[in-house]
Amino acid sequence: MAVLGIDIGGNQIRAGMVGPDGAIMASRTIPTPADLDSFLPALHDAIAWLVESTDFPSGVGVGCKGLIDPESTRIESLRGPLHFLQGLRIVDIVGLPQEVPVFADNDARVALAGELVWGAARGRQNALMLTLGNGVGGAALVNGRVLRGHSGMAGNMGHLTVNPHGDVCSCGNRGCLETVFSARAIEADARAAVYRGCDSVLTRLFREQPHLASCRTVFQAASEGDSLAIAIVASAIYNLGAALAGLLHIFDPEVVILGGHVADAGAELLIPLQEEVWRRSRGLLGRDVPIVEQQVADKSGIIGAAGLVMAPRPGD
């Protein structure tokens, strides 16, 4: 029977009916309204259209940024354009009959849920998930349970301190992993080099508009042999590898899964990262932990959200 997966983003809401095999049967994408009075009817219209087009869902999974209480589905904290949802329960926002179970969590745990049901964490008891994008999200599966911690902040790997004297992070700390490895960090290094007029294809491409130098173009330039881009990518991977090696020693996972749009770099990221992590960790662990790309290829978040409904739970 189908389940409904919903991804609530700052720019778009994506919703879809997902079958037991992880295939999206029907989906709908709408711009995210700017206030609650517009948000609720827009979401309800999208859900009604999906139900009419397919079937009534046996459960609903919702992914959303912020701090979410999975027991009540209450959004405890949410900054940015979706701030008007803070304090509300997602089960109430969805607006389906009470007998339909609703599960909700943040983006990284949603991605892990998809991998638990249909991807690289299937059948595993211990796994780490890192979502590499403008920031670094994280989730940990420990002895078959998704780690949440006292206040629900567990797994926030992007704010692991890797340089106590480093740059100020958006969280207020200094030297977080996000400040040295993330799309924004890589882009900041590239744009600074372009401003300085460094000899690089990046400078030739973006001299007049340095702000257009993206993480994707930096990885592309590195793959084509540009020495500046190679240095930027190598430094970022070195820092991520050091942080990830430490996480392996803490969590001892069976597998590490990388998602997010930075992970789209594929082998250009994965191979040197594996080498760095394995070099740093095999002495104590005595093994090389597989570091793999996310197997659930859906970028919309719909399948991951549906995975919240279908994911195995302790005692099942």
Side-chain angles (χ1 to χ4, degrees):
M1 194 171 184
V3 300
L4 176 60
I6 302 172
D7 177 78
I8 301 175
N11 296 317
Q12 292 181 320
I13 299 172
R14 304 175 181 91
M17 288 292 188
V18 179
D21 59 352
I24 297 177
M25 303 159 59
S27 65
R28 192 80 181 267
T29 299
I30 58 174
T32 302
D35 55 68
L36 187 61
D37 289 340
S38 303
F39 182 94
L40 292 178
L43 176 62
H44 295 166
D45 285 348
I47 293 173
W49 182 87
L50 288 166
V51 170
E52 291 171 4
S53 301
T54 54
D55 197 359
F56 200 80
S58 59
V60 181
V62 181
C64 185
K65 292 185 181 298
L67 181 60
I68 299 170
D69 177 3
E71 297 299 323
S72 66
T73 73
R74 185 178 186 271
I75 301 173
E76 303 287 355
S77 175
L78 182 58
R79 296 181 295 175
L82 292 168
H83 64 89
F84 56 85
L85 296 178
Q86 183 170 309
L88 301 180
R89 297 195 315 160
I90 288 177
V91 64
D92 299 325
I93 292 171
V94 169
L96 289 175
Q98 290 185 350
E99 62 268 20
V100 180
V102 176
F103 303 88
D105 220 323
N106 66 30
D107 302 38
R109 290 187 188 132
V110 163
L112 177 57
E115 293 299 306
L116 276 169
V117 180
W118 298 290
R122 188 172 185 177
R124 309 278 192 178
Q125 290 292 301
N126 295 275
L128 294 183
M129 178 92 203
L130 276 75
T131 52
L132 308 175
N134 288 332
V136 177
L141 180 74
V142 178
N143 295 334
R145 293 177 179 269
V146 176
L147 195 65
R148 300 190 181 280
H150 175 68
S151 61
M153 291 295 292
N156 215 329
M157 299 170 201
H159 296 289
L160 173 70
T161 300
V162 295
N163 179 4
H165 305 292
D167 293 336
V168 176
C169 180
S170 61
C171 72
N173 187 21
R174 280 188 175 273
C176 291
L177 176 58
E178 282 190 7
T179 68
V180 293
F181 188 99
S182 64
R184 286 176 178 156
I186 291 168
E187 289 163 1
D189 284 349
R191 292 165 186 175
V194 171
Y195 275 120
R196 292 194 299 270
C198 296
D199 181 24
S200 168
V201 66
L202 298 173
T203 302
R204 292 189 286 276
L205 287 172
F206 303 110
R207 187 187 307 274
E208 302 303 322
Q209 295 179 298
H211 65 281
L212 295 181
S214 68
C215 182
R216 186 182 296 274
T217 57
V218 175
F219 270 96
Q220 180 64 34
S223 71
E224 295 172 359
D226 182 81
S227 58
L228 174 67
I230 289 171
I232 291 172
V233 168
S235 176
I237 291 174
Y238 178 84
N239 286 306
L240 176 60
L244 189 49
L247 291 170
L248 295 193
H249 291 134
I250 295 169
F251 291 102
D252 190 20
E254 299 165 72
V255 65
V256 176
I257 307 165
L258 304 181
H261 69 265
V262 179
D264 290 343
E268 300 295 328
L269 167 64
L270 198 61
I271 292 175
L273 179 62
Q274 285 177 332
E275 292 173 352
E276 184 65 30
V277 173
W278 293 349
R279 180 181 66 81
R280 288 174 174 271
S281 63
R282 66 164 61 100
L284 184 60
L285 292 178
R287 61 189 177 95
D288 291 335
V289 178
I291 303 172
V292 302
E293 293 180 67
Q294 184 175 356
Q295 290 182 2
V296 175
D298 169 48
K299 301 297 183 183
S300 70
I302 291 173
I303 295 178
L308 287 175
V309 183
M310 298 185 174
R313 292 171 177 79
D316 287 356

